[in-house]
Amino acid sequence: MPDPFAPSGRAAAGVETVGETGSTNADLLARLAAGDVPPEGAWLVADRQTAGRGRQGRAWSDGYGNFMGSTLVRVRPTDPPLHTLALVAGLALLEVVAPRLPAPVQAQLKWPNDLLIGPAKLAGILLERSGDAVVIGIGVNLAVAPGVEGRETVALSAFGPAPDRDTFAADLAWSFATDLARWRDYGLDPVIARWLAAAHPVGTPLLVGEPGEPALAGSFAGLDGDGALRLRLGDGTTRTIHAGEVRLAASD
């Protein structure tokens, strides 16, 4: 059955590219603050970023030929919880990455904002809100796997020719627009079901806690109805995690 939400074009609102910038997220946030509001669905993609960042303001190293881009979502009163846009972005990203991997290699989602191949990080997602808009930044290692202290990283080029960045950008814009429409029209339950099917299995050992802090050890027990992580502890109780650094205990 045809997907009723499949856009007729790859990126209806367009993909703008720049040679170099500090951060595509910061650029879109600055445009919002100045009243220069891009349409929902527009993307800003950079060849290089000099001040890319991830969670907690951590530096995010770039690499020429990789995907570094941001888009925005205009908040509607009827939208599901906005933090679950990280799940939506992860699913949209996986839909674009999966066909570019040779069998039997598979990518998996890790809560709340990473895409992994085995224990190695392939991509990350960053959400930042400004007024009635949420800016979503995505970085994907297409050609180069930059070094990240304390983390293993991987690029798609490890499994074949590096994907063309501009083609990848157009495919991601299309995929995200499709999943955003599903999120709004069908609600959160189908998103969570799809996300769980694409994530590491229930029972996977996890560590939760920011670097430098004591980690809470447990095992993955799924997501709750609002998209929060459920962590089963050693005493059999379950803790709901709404935010924090999550690591695979067996590999990170």
Side-chain angles (χ1 to χ4, degrees), residues 30-146:
R31 292 184 187 184
L32 286 167
D36 177 16
V37 183
E40 184 174 273
W43 283 76
L44 179 63
V45 175
D47 294 340
R48 300 299 301 262
Q49 285 190 147
T50 59
R53 61 192 189 281
R55 289 189 66 257
Q56 304 296 325
R58 297 189 190 98
W60 173 258
S61 300
D62 70 356
Y64 189 78
N66 288 349
F67 175 85
M68 295 155 280
S70 301
T71 189
L72 64 84
V73 172
R74 302 308 299 261
V75 178
R76 301 179 186 178
T78 55
D79 282 344
L82 296 179
H83 65 269
T84 62
L85 282 168
L87 307 182
V88 175
L91 287 168
L93 180 57
L94 182 60
E95 289 292 326
V96 178
V97 166
R100 290 173 162 88
L101 288 171
V105 181
Q106 291 185 324
Q108 288 187 323
L109 293 165
K110 180 174 73 67
W111 192 90
N113 56 1
D114 285 346
L115 185 64
L116 309 179
I117 295 178
K121 181 171 180 174
L122 175 71
I125 298 163
L126 177 66
L127 271 60
E128 297 182 279
R129 182 166 181 177
S130 176
D132 66 350
V134 177
V135 174
I136 302 170
I138 298 178
V140 188
N141 299 334
L142 302 181
V144 181

Side-chain angles (χ1 to χ4, degrees), residues 102-224:
V105 181
Q106 291 185 324
Q108 288 187 323
L109 293 165
K110 180 174 73 67
W111 192 90
N113 56 1
D114 285 346
L115 185 64
L116 309 179
I117 295 178
K121 181 171 180 174
L122 175 71
I125 298 163
L126 177 66
L127 271 60
E128 297 182 279
R129 182 166 181 177
S130 176
D132 66 350
V134 177
V135 174
I136 302 170
I138 298 178
V140 188
N141 299 334
L142 302 181
V144 181
V148 177
E149 184 178 357
R151 290 297 304 270
E152 186 177 348
T153 59
V154 68
L156 287 179
S157 60
F159 307 99
D164 175 75
R165 196 280 312 273
D166 291 343
T167 301
F168 188 93
D171 289 349
L172 181 57
W174 179 88
S175 182
F176 182 76
T178 301
D179 277 319
L180 181 65
R182 290 172 176 154
W183 177 75
R184 282 179 166 151
D185 283 45
Y186 292 145
L188 192 52
D189 287 350
V191 171
I192 290 176
R194 288 177 59 213
W195 193 95
L196 288 171
H200 45 73
V202 168
T204 298
L206 299 176
L207 296 172
V208 180
E210 301 297 342
E213 299 178 357
L216 183 64
S219 61
F220 181 55
L223 304 181
D224 73 5

